[in-house]
Amino acid sequence: MVHGRLITFEGPEGGGKSTQAAMLIARLEERGLEIIYTREPGGTKLGEAIRGILQYDAAGEDPCPESEVLLFEASRAQLVRKVIRPALERGAWVVCDRFFDSTTAYQGFGRGFSVELIETINRFAIGDTLPDMTLLLDVNISLGMQRCAKRQEGKKIKYDRIESEALEFHEKVRQGYLELARRYPDRFRKVDAMRHPEPIAADIWTLVSDAFFPEN
Ligand code: Z5A
């Protein structure tokens, strides 16, 4: 049976996940592969509606922390079944900007829910759809925030609900990601994202090509 690959990008905000995902996709497409790019929360109609609720309080009230977890998971369950699995089954490669490790990092390590509990709920949402590789773009919080502040200059919409959390929260998230990379070394690849985009992209390409195109 043909089966594509699932590569996920993770990390604190401002690590350059979207930038690097686009650079990786360009290189994968040069090899003639079908690539699906998607993101979390979002990637389906239901998921994008949930994204509005989670980031900009589209429902008119703040979700409580428990609802927040379940909304991320609902978006994920839909994305896995409507987009990711069908793509993998037809042999496409899927590049996903955040996946279940974000819930472990943000709601587990960041908000303080039990990591074991979050991992159990993650498994319910994803079933057996695990990433083949997770690229952790590690950036220190002040640099990540500087990058995001620069991007926001002159824009009407300011920071979203989670971006507006205290520095301490974002630091816990970063440390949580580093812990996940230690716990799951077979899947995680940590990349120093505190450099210019080109050397980061070159390192990512080395990691991806060594893992998936070892003949080259
Ligand atoms: N969240 C959660 O809590 N639980 C979950 O389960 C999930 C998510 C799935 C989603 O926000 C929020 O939801 C997120 C986590 C939480 N909140 N936070 N914080 P999002 O999707 O809107 O945002 P994000 O995922 O955090 O991504 P981002 O902040 O937009 O950053 P990014 O994708 O990593 O970076 P970028 O867009 O590629 O680059 C950001 C800016 O930096 C941009 O202007 C670039 O041109 C610039 N950039 C990129 N790379 C570089 C380098 N190397 N040098 C200099 N400048 C750079």
Side-chain angles (χ1 to χ4, degrees), residues 16-19 51 55 72 98 103 106-107 151 195:
K17 294 176 295 301
S18 314
T19 305
R51 185 180 178 92
Q55 291 191 273
F72 279 118
R98 297 196 180 279
T103 312
Y106 280 81
Q107 282 65 47
R151 182 181 52 187
R195 299 173 288 159

Side-chain angles (χ1 to χ4, degrees), residues 194-208:
M194 295 170 275
R195 299 173 288 159
H196 287 292
E198 290 73 20
I200 301 171
D203 282 2
I204 288 175
W205 183 244
T206 301
L207 291 167
V208 169

Side-chain angles (χ1 to χ4, degrees), residues 143-160:
L143 178 58
M145 288 195 159
Q146 270 173 37
R147 288 178 183 169
C148 292
K150 203 165 160 203
R151 182 181 52 187
Q152 291 303 111
E153 277 168 16
K155 290 196 183 160
K156 276 204 185 116
I157 297 178
K158 289 295 177 191
Y159 294 111
D160 70 38

Side-chain angles (χ1 to χ4, degrees), residues 104-161:
T104 318
Y106 280 81
Q107 282 65 47
F109 289 98
R111 294 251 189 266
F113 281 114
S114 145
V115 167
E116 289 65 36
L117 172 69
I118 297 289
E119 289 190 329
T120 302
I121 311 175
N122 282 341
R123 275 195 298 279
F124 177 68
I126 65 166
D128 59 2
T129 306
L130 273 170
D132 295 283
M133 180 181 282
T134 296
L135 293 156
L136 169 56
L137 300 193
D138 180 51
V139 63
N140 71 50
I141 301 307
S142 56
L143 178 58
M145 288 195 159
Q146 270 173 37
R147 288 178 183 169
C148 292
K150 203 165 160 203
R151 182 181 52 187
Q152 291 303 111
E153 277 168 16
K155 290 196 183 160
K156 276 204 185 116
I157 297 178
K158 289 295 177 191
Y159 294 111
D160 70 38
R161 213 170 46 80

